[in-house]
Amino acid sequence: MAEFGISMFPTDYAIQPIELARAAEERGFESMFFPEHTHIPASRKTPFPGGTELPKEYWHTHDPFVALGAAAAVTKKLKLGTGVCLVVERDPITLAKEVASLDMISGGRVIFGIGAGWNVEEMENHGAVFKRRWKIVREKILAMRQIWTREAAEFHGEFVNFDPIWSFPKPVQAGGPPIILGSQSPRTFDRVAEYCDGWMPIYSPRYDLAASLKALAEAGMKAGRRKLPVSMFGVGPKEERIKTLLDLGLERLIFGLPPAPRDTVLPMLDKYAELKAKAR
């Protein structure tokens, strides 16, 4: 049976993570996802992929691990996801410790959604080269897996390089939290099959999801991976769409919430809870 989650930009002007987490768990949602942007360059040279002016939540959002840590402290079952963490902008040793710490504090409830990002200047401010972002992400994820699974971890690559290190805590989840790639670029399926545990696209009526699921399965088979679960972002409130996605065998459907005060968000959460109950 598919699970249902929610996602929101946890901004300084929206319902805060603690109240949202409690409300989501009370209504029976399986998971909650927070995205990441450390900042947005004021130059605004890189256009927003959405085709509009960049919404202000992109530079008003909390750090996802701080927000999810607060959520972990007031919930018992709710899974805590990044949707997505911009791995390319982070130090892999520090990030491995943050994820492992959250997984331990929450009792093994982390879902590690990752991406490479789209804002060229934002990446460059962190010292990352946009054209090489996917190679950087790959090495950082492979290095993090070493840190999570080995007492003395080491990694030697083009972008990540360290001799044996000790880094604890280790994640509660064996091998580390599931890593889900949030991307719809041409090589996504090969990347998922090589170093991730699942795929997390954003819903679009123009996107041929059935064909993509077939391509993902084929990439998985080539890599010797039998099951690569799929979580869908931006599902929306249409019952027919929900049914179609469930019929395709998706593991998780994620409803998006606006970064708004509680008076706006909680009624929407109630509506999504009703849709969730009907779908089951």
Side-chain angles (χ1 to χ4, degrees), residues 87-96 132-147 153-163 165:
V87 176
V88 72
E89 297 181 358
R90 287 179 171 265
D91 175 87
I93 298 174
T94 303
L95 182 56
R132 311 197 78 181
R133 65 194 184 282
W134 284 112
K135 291 183 177 181
I136 296 171
V137 167
R138 176 183 176 274
E139 282 197 10
K140 288 186 176 183
I141 292 298
L142 294 177
M144 288 174 65
R145 286 197 185 274
Q146 292 293 307
I147 294 170
E154 66 178 300
F155 190 89
H156 302 285
E158 183 179 357
F159 305 99
V160 180
N161 187 60
F162 52 86
D163 289 328
I165 62 170

Side-chain angles (χ1 to χ4, degrees), residues 68-182:
L68 291 171
V74 297
T75 55
K76 294 181 179 179
K77 296 181 179 180
L78 188 72
K79 292 186 178 179
L80 309 164
T82 50
V84 296
C85 173
L86 299 179
V87 176
V88 72
E89 297 181 358
R90 287 179 171 265
D91 175 87
I93 298 174
T94 303
L95 182 56
K97 182 177 285 289
E98 285 181 302
V99 175
S101 297
L102 180 60
D103 201 55
M104 172 163 277
I105 288 168
S106 67
R109 290 187 278 144
V110 174
I111 301 170
F112 189 39
I114 68 166
W118 54 270
N119 193 305
V120 177
E121 294 76 43
E122 181 182 352
M123 282 181 217
E124 290 177 344
N125 289 164
H126 288 281
V129 178
F130 180 77
K131 290 183 178 180
R132 311 197 78 181
R133 65 194 184 282
W134 284 112
K135 291 183 177 181
I136 296 171
V137 167
R138 176 183 176 274
E139 282 197 10
K140 288 186 176 183
I141 292 298
L142 294 177
M144 288 174 65
R145 286 197 185 274
Q146 292 293 307
I147 294 170
W148 289 341
T149 57
R150 297 182 180 274
E151 182 170 353
E154 66 178 300
F155 190 89
H156 302 285
E158 183 179 357
F159 305 99
V160 180
N161 187 60
F162 52 86
D163 289 328
I165 62 170
W166 296 326
S167 178
F168 288 79
K170 302 300 183 186
V172 172
Q173 298 179 79
I179 298 174
I180 307 178
L181 183 60

Side-chain angles (χ1 to χ4, degrees), residues 46-57:
T46 303
F48 177 45
T52 62
E53 288 296 317
L54 185 71
K56 72 174 185 177
E57 59 259 32

